[in-house]
Amino acid sequence: MSSRFPVMEIFGPTIQGEGMVIGQKTMFVRTAGCDYQCAWCDSAFTWDGTGKEDIRMLTAEEIAAELREIGGTTHVTISGGNPALLPHLNELIDRLHEQGITVALETQGSLWKNWFLQIDELTLSPKPPSSGMTTDWSQLDAIVAQLTEHERAFSLKVVVFDEADLQYAVTVHERYKQVPFYLQAGNDDVIQEDTSVLLNRLIERYKWLVDMVIASSALTNVRVLPQLHAWLWGNKRGK
């Protein structure tokens, strides 16, 4: 019997706004549910109950069929919430691979799933102090070790809002020196509806982060990113 997955959105083609595949033309599958409740989450509707009416329980084939109908790219990003809550997501990954689709996924590194080894482009994004969440370092250590042992393509990304977050990023970078590392300036105004106002704010935050990284002797081999999707489309969903 096929598993069903709690899907909130299927949309695209669009451009991936962050992480190791920033700028990539992609389609998105957004799943519901998260084991975290980050203070600044820009997709809180996936876990706070406000989006529960949007949830559809779909099989892997039903999801794949909607993606085929959208078309326009052979790249799919699975996001959330936290897709790592779904034990049988390998069914969807396998189905997409059968169609020649590259699969990217982001998770905070709080849970391990064996199907991580099937993801083509996996981003681990542990959450800094400003999120209000606490990192389980032993769990993150184990996940990084497993992915490294199996020579999987993965990266680490930390979203930075303030100096405490930046120091957290230093800790992550020094702990996992061998892993490609990305820093991203966080969006601290997820309710702003005027895209031009938000863009000015995000540019200033990005400049601040760039300056801080340039001045840091600890953040050596890192890449500093904006949230490209927020620059282009603000806080709109489905972009």
Side-chain angles (χ1 to χ4, degrees), residues 107-144:
T107 179
Q108 58 261 46
S110 59
L111 301 165
W112 167 261
K113 289 292 182 292
N114 288 335
W115 51 254
F116 281 5
L117 300 177
Q118 298 171 247
I119 298 295
D120 301 297
E121 297 159 337
L122 179 65
T123 297
L124 303 178
S125 184
K127 305 309 178 188
S130 63
S131 70
M133 301 294 104
T134 301
T135 300
D136 182 340
W137 294 106
S138 62
Q139 178 70 290
L140 189 56
D141 286 349
I143 292 173
V144 169

Side-chain angles (χ1 to χ4, degrees), residues 6-7 139 161 181 219:
V7 175
Q139 178 70 290
F161 288 83
F181 190 55
L219 293 167

Side-chain angles (χ1 to χ4, degrees), residues 3-223:
S3 301
R4 290 189 174 273
F5 306 101
V7 175
M8 301 208 69
E9 298 181 296
I10 299 176
F11 62 92
T14 186
I15 299 298
Q16 173 57 258
E18 52 193 332
M20 64 190 293
V21 289
I22 190 169
Q24 171 70 50
K25 184 179 180 182
T26 190
M27 296 178 284
F28 273 86
V29 177
R30 186 184 301 281
T31 62
C34 193
D35 51 324
Y36 277 17
Q37 297 181 2
C38 295
W40 36 250
C41 181
D42 62 0
S43 52
F45 59 88
T46 62
W47 52 261
D48 67 3
T50 59
K52 61 183 179 181
E53 294 182 358
D54 296 331
I55 298 173
R56 295 182 294 154
M57 299 302 296
L58 302 178
T59 65
E61 177 51 41
E62 288 169 338
I63 296 169
E66 290 195 25
L67 291 168
R68 285 196 300 270
E69 186 175 348
I70 293 172
T73 180
T74 56
H75 190 280
V76 168
T77 301
I78 303 173
S79 65
N82 184 8
L85 289 170
L86 305 175
H88 304 297
L89 199 61
N90 57 290
E91 295 176 20
L92 175 59
I93 299 163
D94 289 341
R95 190 72 188 92
L96 295 176
H97 281 162
E98 289 169 6
Q99 297 179 191
I101 290 174
T102 299
V103 180
L105 185 141
E106 180 174 316
T107 179
Q108 58 261 46
S110 59
L111 301 165
W112 167 261
K113 289 292 182 292
N114 288 335
W115 51 254
F116 281 5
L117 300 177
Q118 298 171 247
I119 298 295
D120 301 297
E121 297 159 337
L122 179 65
T123 297
L124 303 178
S125 184
K127 305 309 178 188
S130 63
S131 70
M133 301 294 104
T134 301
T135 300
D136 182 340
W137 294 106
S138 62
Q139 178 70 290
L140 189 56
D141 286 349
I143 292 173
V144 169
Q146 280 267 50
L147 293 169
T148 301
E149 178 184 349
H150 288 86
E151 300 182 343
R152 299 306 302 163
F154 76 105
S155 66
L156 283 157
K157 184 193 77 177
V158 173
V159 181
V160 175
F161 288 83
D162 55 33
E163 291 191 27
D165 288 355
L166 194 66
Q167 185 54 51
Y168 174 89
V170 170
T171 299
V172 173
H173 185 45
E174 291 181 339
R175 195 177 185 102
Y176 311 110
K177 278 286 191 182
Q178 78 281 13
V179 182
F181 190 55
Y182 296 80
L183 293 179
Q184 182 175 296
N187 175 7
D188 62 352
D189 188 356
V190 297
I191 62 173
Q192 175 60 250
E193 295 182 358
D194 188 325
T195 302
S196 62
V197 171
L198 180 63
L199 178 58
N200 287 332
R201 172 69 174 163
L202 294 176
I203 290 173
E204 287 303 313
R205 294 190 57 76
Y206 182 56
K207 288 178 179 177
W208 171 82
L209 181 57
V210 168
D211 288 343
M212 295 295 285
V213 172
I214 289 172
S216 172
S217 60
L219 293 167
T220 52
N221 187 20
V222 304
R223 298 184 184 184

